[in-house]
Amino acid sequence: MTKKWDAVFIGSGLSALTCGAFLAKKGMRVKVLEKHYRIGGYAHSFSRNPYRFESGIHSVPMGPNGYIYTLLRALGIENKIETISHNCMYTAQFGDIQYVIPSSPDALRPWFYEQFPNDRSDINALFDDMAFLYKEIIDPLFRFEKKGNETNPHILDKYQKQTYKTYIESYIKNPELQNIFFAQWPFAGVVPEIASTTFFTLLFYVHAVEGSHYIKGGFGMLAEGLADVIREHGGEVTCSSEVISLCKENGKIKHAVLASGETIEADRFISNISPDTLLEQLLDTESTNRLWVRRSNQLTKASSALAVYLGFDNDINALLPENILFWYKNSDFTKMNKRITNCDHTSNDHLIFLKTPHPEQKSTLFLMKFANESETINWATEKDHIADSMILDAEKIIPGLSSHITCKVTASPQTFRRYTGNSGGSLYGYANLADRYSEARIPMQTFIPNLYQTGHWCRGVGVWNVMESGHTVAQRILAENII
């Protein structure tokens, strides 16, 4: 050991990089350890010449007055990140019926009024309640205060007593209109019948207020921008540095041991990896906490996916104008969830189309359906068969699409587990379910005083939430330093 750090991060997802950037900017000595050859977690791209594919993230609310840009301005890197507005928040398609929900905050309510003139009063009531929740829960974050539900948990009582489905139904009586709000569920992978009202309400309304965006150059630009803050303030971000154990002394973590045999000593450690990996692999049995293990085991992991990365020989904008399309065979979301849970891939009842809005790049498409890792499926042999069935159905939805495919890369739940370390290849950490236990999730302060957890295991999913999680952990650490 040649140097002791103030804070060492295990994993380099956006949550860890956000936290590390704020700590480094305040003068702390920060080191980030990433086991892979590049940083960012899902915020990175990969190439199959001449194509570049986003590995996972395609849309983030990043309006200039939004929360993420508030964080970027605080770090002084807002001018390093250039966004491209998506042409829709999402497009919901049930069979052949399609609804293109605008991404512009100014256009959203007028669009709903135009499409559903007889439901105007219901629409206003729902949006007003969403605005109330946003103001109470989210507004404090812009002032770098505690999240609203931490200072006044009673605000959430109304929302935690129901599912997202029953919440929408309590305001909207028109089933067709209800389905438009239900259709956003792929953003977090939980169907409305079991989904958290708080999370999905804010998910919709944050996009409604802050817009829907892509980052020019890919979401890896955001990861690199945050990493640059760490480096510019004397920190280090190192790849191919896998942590294999954390060693405890006098009740605290003293150092991390890398696969190379190197040891890294620090005053505190922040885990941005799966709590399962942390508890079962990095800590010895004596260092774990039974209550924490039980809590982790009782929380439901979010689904993984079968994803097909497609490259085309022409511009596919004429065939697929919308950047984000959620297609459903019907609106029986409960049945869809049952098929996902049971790993039933005999047919496709939902498909997700995510297109990169980058005019300088050759056309690519991320085609996906939710899937769970299962011992009953040999993904090595089956993933391409399932992918081909998805492409066949995509051709029926968008005629002419398949004839222009020149590149195909398929990823299974095992692929996502291998590259992220997430249990079961989970896309979103723990599932955002409606029960109170799932709302609580994993605490950011672990049972070891100088060990923290951050990322989508603690907060909700998505770039917005994981960056909020990282900033919150940084605030707590800095407050402890002052004390």
Side-chain angles (χ1 to χ4, degrees):
M1 292 177 287
T2 58
K3 185 176 184 178
K4 183 177 180 181
W5 300 88
D6 292 316
V8 163
F9 290 82
I10 306 160
S12 69
L14 291 176
S15 189
L17 294 173
T18 299
C19 185
F22 275 98
L23 295 182
K25 192 172 175 64
K26 289 293 185 179
M28 296 185 74
R29 294 163 296 175
V30 170
K31 187 174 182 67
V32 179
L33 301 169
E34 170 56 54
K35 72 174 183 177
H36 289 302
Y37 65 92
R38 63 173 58 183
I39 62 171
Y42 280 123
H44 80 269
S45 59
F46 66 93
S47 295
R48 295 290 186 274
N49 287 332
Y51 303 102
R52 192 190 71 209
F53 299 99
E54 293 294 326
S55 64
I57 302 169
H58 286 75
S59 180
V60 173
M62 287 187 67
N65 297 316
Y67 178 65
I68 292 178
Y69 259 99
T70 299
L71 296 179
L72 298 182
R73 277 192 290 271
L75 293 170
I77 57 172
E78 72 277 15
N79 294 326
K80 293 184 178 181
I81 307 297
E82 184 178 350
T83 61
I84 301 172
S85 293
H86 279 299
N87 55 15
C88 62
M89 184 193 299
Y90 58 92
T91 295
Q93 183 169 336
F94 297 90
D96 296 326
I97 302 172
Q98 190 176 89
Y99 307 91
V100 183
I101 293 84
S103 62
S104 167
D106 294 334
L108 196 59
R109 282 208 200 199
W111 180 87
F112 277 99
Y113 296 155
E114 181 181 352
Q115 298 292 319
F116 300 94
N118 296 328
D119 300 285
R120 189 182 183 109
S121 61
D122 287 356
I123 293 166
N124 282 335
L126 175 61
F127 272 72
D128 289 347
D129 191 70
M130 287 180 166
F132 165 78
L133 186 64
Y134 180 91
K135 182 177 184 299
E136 292 294 325
I137 304 297
I138 306 301
D139 271 7
L141 299 179
F142 286 87
R143 301 186 294 273
F144 290 172
E145 298 172 3
K146 288 184 178 180
K147 201 172 185 179
N149 63 322
E150 294 176 353
T151 56
N152 186 3
H154 298 297
I155 293 171
L156 296 184
D157 285 347
K158 163 189 169 182
Y159 304 94
Q160 290 180 330
K161 291 176 180 177
Q162 56 187 328
T163 66
Y164 181 63
K165 182 177 189 292
T166 57
Y167 170 75
I168 293 298
E169 290 173 341
S170 70
Y171 284 96
I172 304 296
K173 303 302 182 287
N174 183 339
E176 183 182 359
L177 179 54
Q178 290 172 0
N179 280 333
I180 292 177
F181 289 99
F182 296 157
Q184 68 156 342
W185 70 264
F187 279 133
V190 180
V191 297
E193 287 82 353
I194 56 174
S196 160
T197 296
T198 309
F199 176 80
F200 276 86
T201 300
L202 290 174
L203 174 65
F204 182 90
Y205 204 73
V206 166
H207 278 272
V209 172
E210 302 181 17
S212 302
H213 303 84
Y214 177 76
I215 292 179
K216 189 173 183 180
F219 284 94
M221 299 292 290
L222 180 57
E224 287 297 339
L226 294 167
D228 284 344
V229 175
I230 296 172
R231 298 183 186 107
E232 289 165 6
H233 290 84
E236 294 180 3
V237 180
T238 59
C239 294
S240 302
S241 301
E242 182 179 5
V243 177
I244 59 171
S245 67
L246 294 173
C247 297
K248 201 171 157 190
E249 186 177 290
N250 299 323
K252 294 184 177 182
I253 303 298
K254 183 181 180 184
H255 62 261
V257 180
L258 306 189
S260 64
E262 183 184 359
T263 57
I264 308 290
E265 188 174 352
D267 291 330
R268 57 191 60 77
F269 295 81
I270 301 93
S271 169
N272 191 204
I273 62 174
S274 164
D276 288 350
T277 303
L278 177 67
L279 295 171
E280 297 170 9
Q281 298 180 29
L282 269 59
L283 295 171
D284 59 43
T285 306
E286 292 182 0
S287 297
T288 57
N289 177 287
R290 290 182 184 177
L291 291 176
W292 250 71
V293 172
R294 186 170 67 184
R295 185 169 189 170
S296 177
N297 289 339
Q298 288 178 338
L299 288 166
T300 302
K301 306 295 189 301
S303 295
S304 187
L306 194 291
V308 192
Y309 301 87
L310 299 172
F312 299 88
D313 62 7
N314 71 338
D315 187 340
I316 63 169
N317 284 324
L319 296 174
L320 179 62
E322 297 78 23
N323 295 333
I324 303 167
L325 169 62
F326 300 147
W327 173 85
Y328 304 105
K329 189 174 183 178
N330 52 52
S331 59
D332 191 344
F333 299 116
T334 299
K335 188 174 182 180
M336 292 179 201
N337 185 63
K338 186 177 180 180
R339 293 172 72 93
I340 295 167
T341 303
N342 294 336
C343 300
D344 179 359
H345 297 287
T346 54
S347 65
N348 301 305
D349 52 16
H350 71 282
L351 289 174
I352 294 125
F353 299 76
L354 302 175
K355 192 177 65 176
T356 302
H358 202 309
E360 298 174 5
Q361 297 289 330
K362 278 188 166 288
S363 284
T364 61
L365 180 67
F366 180 86
L367 179 65
M368 184 191 107
K369 65 182 288 189
F370 286 98
N372 284 338
E373 188 177 41
S374 170
E375 295 179 358
T376 63
I377 297 179
N378 183 341
W379 288 108
T381 58
E382 292 299 315
K383 68 178 183 179
D384 283 320
H385 296 305
I386 299 171
D388 288 341
S389 77
M390 292 165 63
I391 294 171
L392 283 173
D393 283 343
E395 173 66 22
K396 296 173 186 176
I397 300 162
I398 307 168
L401 189 73
S402 61
S403 63
H404 295 284
I405 296 172
T406 57
C407 178
K408 183 185 83 169
V409 180
T410 307
S412 72
Q414 289 182 342
T415 311
F416 289 114
R417 175 168 54 83
R418 186 166 66 250
Y419 281 97
T420 67
N422 289 351
S423 304
S426 169
L427 296 185
Y428 303 123
Y430 293 119
N432 290 276
L433 302 177
D435 62 273
R436 281 181 179 270
Y437 202 77
S438 292
E439 293 270 15
R441 304 171 79 84
I442 287 288
M444 296 180 184
Q445 174 66 67
T446 75
F447 51 89
I448 298 175
N450 68 333
L451 177 62
Y452 301 82
Q453 178 76 48
T454 189
H456 54 197
W457 307 100
C458 305
R459 296 297 204 203
V461 305
V463 172
W464 197 102
N465 282 290
V466 299
M467 290 185 69
E468 185 271 327
S469 167
H471 181 245
T472 298
V473 172
Q475 285 181 298
R476 293 184 182 184
I477 291 173
L478 293 170
E480 291 167 4
N481 260 20
I482 293 172
I483 294 170

